[in-house]
Amino acid sequence: MYSSSPADAPVVREPLHAPVAHLVRGGVVEGIHYGSVVVLGADGRVEFQLGDIEAAFYPRSAVKPLQAVAMLRAGLPLDGALLSLAAASHSGEERHLAGTRRILELAGLTEDDLRNVPDLPFDPAVRDAWVREGRTPSRLAQNCSGKHAAMLWTAKVNGWSLEDYLDPGHPLQQAIQEVVEDLTGQRVARVSVDGCGAPLFSISLHGLARALSRITTAAPGTPEARVADAMRAHAEMASGAGRDVAALMRAVPGLLAKDGFEGVQVAALPDGRAIAVKIADGANRARIPVAAAALVRAGVDPESLTAFAGEPLLGGGEPVGRVRAVRALDAVELPACA
């Protein structure tokens, strides 16, 4: 436990976001993405910030490593690939479906016990194949099914009710909120509902970065270290083949990273250096180049991040520009993508 008395909740206000990414076409700034960025040093201090890192916001799926830590603290008996899946926003590949079924099987439960929203697979190629085969939306295919299966098993281990495990007042969700507050070091500002149906806790961007830093620096064998080890060793289980967040973890040794809908990205290194990004308009194309620039700010070798410097903008089928982080984020210039 990090603090028996977390700080006050972040203020609920319109975030004071700043420009964080430019769409540059033919040498002209064609568009601007606003957002906020925080970079923490190994000692936990803020080394760089842009925008509003203290306003309340919803981290969306970037909070899943924290939820997984909470479930382990509550007795969830998972490690390895299945623990990574419990912290996943998965692509709906067959390995993800099989893994979720295995968690349910180990818990003595079935897909019918899940309460997440039925959906098609998240990955476009997997989704298209699913539709061609005439398959319909399912709770198993929805990208949070691994987390929901783990939540059910955690509830069963503790003798808690299963039918209402998503209720914010349920002992499981109360335990998760306590851990979110413990790891972030601040009270939750508001509680809402995420897309999958699970409670969603509003924290600050600063608090999110601090939480992941604490997870990566925790002592071996702790719930925090078990989550970090599982996600790093099984990055594709926590996301999917071809997903940028898995590629980012492979590119930077020891990096733990998690993305979230609406332009959220958090990442931390084993020594505690951490970054967190929120893109104001939720644009996914700005998330990774801004995160890569923040990681360079944190001291990561820019050569290892070349592939994440920004997707190209096309004109007539040929690259004529790219999405790039604003120069205020530059520690050094990231090499351009080929």
Side-chain angles (χ1 to χ4, degrees):
M1 304 294 286
Y2 295 95
S3 173
S4 58
S5 55
D8 289 342
V11 177
V12 177
R13 65 182 178 222
E14 181 178 342
L16 304 173
H17 291 306
V20 294
H22 287 160
L23 282 67
V24 182
R25 183 185 297 269
V28 172
V29 175
E30 184 177 35
I32 301 173
H33 289 291
Y34 283 70
S36 296
V37 182
V38 62
V39 177
L40 302 184
D43 59 1
R45 296 181 182 179
V46 175
E47 292 194 339
F48 176 84
Q49 67 182 89
L50 186 61
D52 194 343
I53 69 169
E54 303 296 354
F57 90 118
Y58 290 118
R60 303 300 298 270
S61 287
V63 80
K64 284 178 178 174
L66 286 67
Q67 292 171 314
V69 169
M71 288 188 277
L72 290 185
R73 288 191 188 180
L76 176 66
L78 277 181
D79 279 296
L82 293 183
L83 177 54
S84 183
L85 182 60
S89 300
H90 65 68
S91 291
E93 300 164 17
E94 286 303 322
R95 60 178 156 185
H96 300 130
L97 275 59
T100 301
R101 290 191 194 98
R102 180 58 177 159
I103 294 173
L104 291 168
E105 178 185 355
L106 289 168
L109 301 168
T110 70
E111 183 179 350
D112 291 338
D113 294 299
L114 295 170
R115 293 291 181 267
N116 58 316
V117 177
D119 202 356
L120 294 170
F122 176 75
D123 182 89
V126 178
R127 182 170 61 248
D128 288 349
W130 187 282
V131 172
R132 285 197 301 271
E133 293 165 7
R135 302 167 79 176
T136 57
S138 78
R139 299 185 193 276
L140 206 63
Q142 197 269 336
N143 75 93
C144 302
S145 64
K147 177 185 76 175
H148 281 256
M151 284 182 169
L152 280 166
W153 195 1
T154 305
K156 187 170 183 181
V157 164
N158 285 278
W160 298 329
S161 58
L162 302 184
E163 295 79 8
D164 60 343
Y165 75 93
L166 295 182
D167 189 311
H170 190 280
L172 169 67
Q173 302 303 336
Q174 290 292 299
I176 290 174
Q177 180 171 339
E178 288 176 7
V179 171
V180 168
E181 292 181 336
D182 180 39
L183 292 173
T184 61
Q186 60 189 182
R187 299 290 183 191
V188 166
R190 297 280 176 86
V191 180
S192 186
V193 182
D194 210 340
C196 66
L200 182 61
F201 306 109
S202 182
I203 55 177
S204 71
L205 198 65
H206 187 182
L208 179 63
R210 182 164 48 231
L212 211 68
S213 174
R214 288 173 166 178
I215 289 173
T216 60
T217 56
T222 60
E224 293 91 330
R226 287 165 60 191
V227 169
D229 290 345
M231 292 181 69
R232 288 183 297 220
H234 305 278
E236 281 78 12
M237 191 62 97
S239 53
R243 293 273 291 280
D244 54 30
V245 70
L248 191 62
M249 284 195 277
R250 288 194 303 269
V252 182
L255 186 73
L256 176 63
K258 184 69 186 77
D259 54 345
F261 279 161
E262 297 301 323
V264 181
Q265 183 69 55
V266 64
L269 292 152
D271 65 0
R273 287 173 289 157
I275 66 101
V277 170
K278 163 64 181 172
I279 306 301
D281 62 3
N284 200 49
R285 65 181 177 182
R287 171 181 54 84
I288 279 291
V290 173
L295 284 168
V296 173
R297 273 270 179 181
V300 174
D301 180 2
E303 292 296 329
S304 66
L305 296 169
T306 300
F308 308 98
E311 66 181 65
L313 298 179
L314 302 181
E318 298 296 326
V320 294
R322 63 177 171 130
V323 181
R324 71 172 309 279
V326 295
R327 299 202 179 276
L329 263 166
D330 286 349
V332 296
E333 173 71 13
L334 279 174
C337 293

